[in-house]
Amino acid sequence: MTPQKTISIIGGGLSGALVLINLLRQQTATPLTIKWIEKTGEFGTGIAYSTDKDYHLLNVPANAMGLYHDRPTHFHEWLLQNGYQYSEHDYVPRKIYAGYIQEELTHYLKNNRNSMVHLLHGEVKDIESNHNGYWVILSNNKRFQSDEIVIATGNTIPLPPALRDMTYTQHPSYHNNPWEKANNQFIRRNDDILLIGTGLTTVDHLLDLYHQDHKGNIYALSRNGYIPFTHYPCSRHQQYPDYTHELIATSDISKIYSIIRQHIRKGIKAGIDWRIILDTIRPTLPKIWNSLPLEQKKQFHKRLHALWNVARHRIPVLCADIIHSMKEKKQLRILGGRIAEIRNTGNEFEVTYTSRKSGLQETIRVQKIINCSGPPFPAHDNSPLFKNLRERSMLCPDELGIGWNATADGRIMNREQEIITGLYTIGSGLKGILFESTALPELRQQAYALAQLINNTHAKVA
């Protein structure tokens, strides 16, 4: 009789949930023991969907947020079945989406007949290989055997700006974890606030401050000063021909950028929204990305990555209107530049930055700072697990130093480009390999393929 295999999934957010659901949804006659480990003890929602605010909305319409690669409209079907009156094109509160994830997880856990699933509250600090597979070692030094491991850790806390004087990080009015719910309790209504970063996390905080009727000045500062662009609902029925073949015919990032701009101009003349033209190439982005030589990929990350993020990862009109109104009232200022110094003067911070526009140093004074600069790349994450695995070369940065050295289907490789048997990753760990690897359309496809790979491996062994 073939012994039952153990699969460990590290990370309890959406990526881990998708892997678990797909393992159970596709399971073969070969039974599995699945251990799902999450340090917070909250499984399924992760950072993005743990909010309890009605105004924190999904950034993708309901009809595209299904958990299953073969049923992208499943979430909207679930909404209708549960009495919600949202249209397929609505941007639904993320807390409702969290309920959808939890219900789908519960369904597969209850109806699973062939595998044992254990949910473990704990932090994985290390993985050690042995002749039977791996030891998974927790922070309390407990360990258990696992044949295969999926690293699905998702987003982690931002790194503070690296300055000559880092004492500001010890001050109680500096908040390095932008997702900590207690942050809002320490903000007084008249505080002047600096949000470091201008991405989606900053948008969430701006919405919080608006709905709390905050009266103080708000500054949002990033290197480029780009706020995410807005979805344009009126364009949702438009289509534009795929022009991927033009993009992979060149290996120059500047030419790719020029081709995209040409198509945008052409589309606009024909009455087609530029967002549609950009989204047309989304399914083939990994193919375009992998057609580029390394130096061109580096050039993209240096020159165009920030612009791409704000153009691709857009926000609903309702959210954009609130931000626009805060800017019109002169309460909110969006700044572009690099922080040079953060100095605490007792009751406030003096923040000196070099303006992107003028090249001159300017200073703002605030009572609170929240670091919304976004999660570090996995290869820069110094959590105990990643630090230990890097030191032993079980995890090696990819050629861009962004995620992990791995195949496109998530199999982790060592420095010699050899596949490490039984070790996988998903999501942010593949960002350097696949380019787009953190949004649901990519994650659900990755999870499906990875579960298929794992299940097929065990079916063959059995």
Side-chain angles (χ1 to χ4, degrees):
M1 184 176 182
T2 304
Q4 191 161 318
K5 296 286 187 179
T6 298
I7 311 297
S8 296
I9 303 170
I10 303 174
L14 179 60
S15 295
L18 287 168
V19 173
L20 176 62
I21 287 172
N22 276 278
L23 282 171
L24 298 178
R25 194 176 182 220
Q26 302 175 28
Q27 61 185 332
T28 63
T30 306
L32 296 174
T33 295
I34 303 172
K35 296 190 177 185
W36 192 16
I37 312 111
E38 166 54 37
K39 63 182 178 182
T40 67
E42 296 181 10
F43 291 85
T45 54
I47 290 169
Y49 307 109
S50 60
T51 177
D52 58 358
K53 304 294 191 299
D54 289 323
Y55 52 79
H56 286 163
L57 307 179
L58 295 171
N59 295 321
V60 176
N63 66 343
M65 284 297 292
L67 288 175
Y68 310 107
H69 83 289
D70 54 346
R71 293 183 66 185
T73 62
H74 184 263
F75 174 54
H76 185 245
E77 296 165 15
W78 179 89
L79 287 170
L80 298 180
Q81 291 166 4
N82 284 273
Y84 291 104
Q85 300 301 309
Y86 292 103
S87 81
E88 59 184 326
H89 303 296
D90 282 338
Y91 298 89
V92 179
R94 299 205 300 264
K95 72 176 191 179
I96 294 177
Y97 193 74
Y100 164 63
I101 299 171
Q102 296 286 4
E103 187 170 305
E104 292 303 296
L105 276 170
T106 300
H107 167 77
Y108 282 100
L109 289 171
K110 281 186 175 180
N111 292 283
N112 163 48
R113 295 287 182 268
N114 202 30
S115 295
M116 295 182 63
V117 181
H118 305 273
L119 275 57
L120 305 179
H121 179 188
E123 181 178 7
V124 178
K125 74 172 185 180
D126 206 354
I127 297 169
E128 292 180 357
S129 58
N130 59 44
H131 63 282
N132 289 320
Y134 299 96
W135 288 114
V136 177
I137 305 169
L138 305 180
S139 56
N140 60 5
N141 290 322
K142 290 185 178 179
R143 61 174 60 201
F144 57 84
Q145 173 72 31
S146 188
D147 296 281
E148 296 180 297
I149 298 171
V150 179
I151 298 174
T153 46
N155 291 331
T156 54
I157 296 171
L159 299 175
L163 306 175
R164 184 177 57 184
D165 182 357
M166 298 292 289
T167 55
Y168 72 91
T169 61
Q170 306 304 314
H171 196 279
S173 291
Y174 170 80
H175 304 283
N176 199 60
N177 183 352
W179 305 296
E180 191 172 14
K181 293 179 181 179
N183 285 343
N184 291 332
Q185 299 174 13
F186 299 105
I187 296 175
R188 295 170 300 189
R189 200 176 184 191
N190 293 311
D191 280 342
D192 292 336
I193 300 171
L194 170 63
L195 304 175
I196 302 175
T198 54
L200 296 176
T201 303
T202 290
V203 170
D204 277 356
H205 278 280
L206 291 175
L207 295 174
D208 285 341
L209 294 167
Y210 173 83
H211 286 280
Q212 293 160 9
D213 196 25
H214 190 78
K215 298 301 182 184
N217 294 314
I218 306 166
Y219 304 91
L221 169 66
S222 67
R223 292 183 180 181
N224 294 285
Y226 296 146
I227 282 283
F229 289 160
T230 310
H231 286 292
Y232 186 56
C234 295
S235 65
R236 58 190 174 223
H237 298 299
Q238 295 181 339
Q239 292 184 333
Y240 189 81
D242 187 3
Y243 52 100
T244 299
H245 62 284
E246 296 179 43
L247 300 175
I248 61 176
T250 178
S251 60
D252 187 303
I253 196 65
S254 297
K255 290 181 180 177
I256 287 178
Y257 185 56
S258 176
I259 291 168
I260 293 173
R261 287 179 64 90
Q262 288 171 20
H263 280 280
I264 288 175
R265 286 194 292 268
K266 179 181 176 182
I268 289 173
K269 286 181 181 179
I272 297 175
D273 183 58
W274 65 265
R275 299 161 184 83
I276 299 298
I277 298 163
L278 203 60
D279 291 346
T280 296
I281 60 173
R282 178 172 181 169
T284 53
L285 281 173
K287 186 176 182 181
I288 297 168
W289 182 245
N290 285 310
S291 70
L292 294 173
L294 177 59
E295 285 306 313
Q296 291 296 306
K297 292 178 180 178
K298 290 179 178 178
Q299 282 297 311
F300 173 85
H301 271 277
K302 182 178 180 180
R303 296 168 49 198
L304 299 173
H305 189 250
L307 181 59
W308 173 264
N309 276 343
V310 299
R312 257 291 301 122
H313 303 283
R314 303 185 287 271
I315 58 176
V317 172
L318 178 61
C319 302
D321 285 347
I322 289 173
I323 293 172
H324 183 68
S325 72
M326 296 173 80
K327 290 171 67 178
E328 274 197 330
K329 290 189 299 184
K330 308 297 184 185
Q331 181 186 22
L332 170 64
R333 288 180 59 197
I334 307 295
L335 307 172
R338 291 176 178 265
I339 295 177
E341 183 181 25
I342 299 178
R343 191 165 68 91
N344 178 251
T345 61
N347 296 324
E348 63 181 13
F349 295 99
E350 284 187 358
V351 181
T352 302
Y353 69 98
T354 304
S355 171
R356 182 172 181 262
K357 184 181 293 185
S358 68
L360 302 176
Q361 286 203 338
E362 301 183 20
T363 299
I364 55 176
R365 292 173 175 81
V366 296
Q367 284 76 53
K368 298 289 191 301
I369 299 176
I370 303 175
N371 185 1
C372 303
S373 59
F377 292 133
H380 302 165
D381 188 333
N382 282 322
S383 63
L385 174 63
F386 289 160
K387 186 176 180 181
N388 287 332
L389 294 183
R390 282 199 305 264
E391 286 177 355
R392 296 202 309 280
S393 297
M394 284 184 70
L395 281 182
C396 304
D398 59 40
E399 60 183 6
L400 287 169
I402 294 174
W404 306 122
N405 191 25
T407 61
D409 59 5
R411 292 174 292 172
I412 290 175
M413 297 192 294
N414 61 22
R415 295 187 191 280
E416 287 71 41
Q417 306 301 308
E418 299 166 333
I419 292 171
I420 302 177
T421 303
L423 199 57
Y424 309 94
T425 191
I426 183 175
S428 57
L430 294 174
K431 192 170 176 61
I433 306 296
L434 299 177
F435 182 65
E436 285 281 6
S437 186
T438 55
L440 178 65
E442 287 78 32
L443 292 178
R444 65 190 174 204
Q445 182 62 46
Q446 288 178 33
Y448 167 78
L450 186 55
Q452 196 172 45
L453 176 64
I454 292 172
N455 277 322
N456 287 346
T457 299
H458 296 309
K460 289 176 184 176
V461 171

